[in-house]
Amino acid sequence: MPGITREEVAHLARLARLELKPEELDHFAGQLDDIIGAVARVSEVADRDVPPTSHPLPLTNVMRPDEVRPSLTPEQALSGAPAQEQQRFKVPQILGEE
């Protein structure tokens, strides 16, 4: 596969509205060529018998089961609140909306 050319980098820079100096075009051409080569190597390694994965190790859910248990009543929860309204904490209005 031929490497990415200086002209292709200049074209990509124009599309991205980037102003690159001539020496940057050569520098980025080499870097982009390395990136394309690395992606191509990964594609070669991936085989049909290797399933795609998002993580190298399996993930497990670490949350406990949702169980109903006794808790505070609304009155107990709001007992220390400076202001309350309709069994909820009342806070100062900040967005100017009702």
Side-chain angles (χ1 to χ4, degrees), residues 1 5 15 33 52 55 68 73 79 83 92 94-95:
M1 174 178 192
T5 65
L15 292 175
D33 195 43
H55 299 289
V68 177
T73 65
S79 64
I94 59 169
L95 299 177

Side-chain angles (χ1 to χ4, degrees), residues 46-87:
D47 201 42
R48 292 177 192 225
D49 62 338
V50 178
T53 58
S54 62
H55 299 289
L57 302 174
L59 298 177
T60 56
N61 193 348
V62 295
M63 298 191 330
R64 69 174 197 272
D66 191 13
E67 298 173 357
V68 177
R69 298 188 290 179
S71 61
L72 298 175
T73 65
E75 292 78 24
Q76 291 170 323
L78 295 168
S79 64
Q84 54 181 305
E85 183 178 284
Q86 298 176 353
Q87 292 189 340

Side-chain angles (χ1 to χ4, degrees), residues 22-64:
E23 61 271 9
E24 291 176 315
L25 293 174
D26 295 325
H27 180 73
F28 290 136
Q31 287 184 337
L32 288 171
D33 195 43
D34 291 342
I35 292 169
I36 291 170
V39 171
R41 282 192 301 278
V42 170
S43 297
E44 291 171 5
V45 171
D47 201 42
R48 292 177 192 225
D49 62 338
V50 178
T53 58
S54 62
H55 299 289
L57 302 174
L59 298 177
T60 56
N61 193 348
V62 295
M63 298 191 330
R64 69 174 197 272

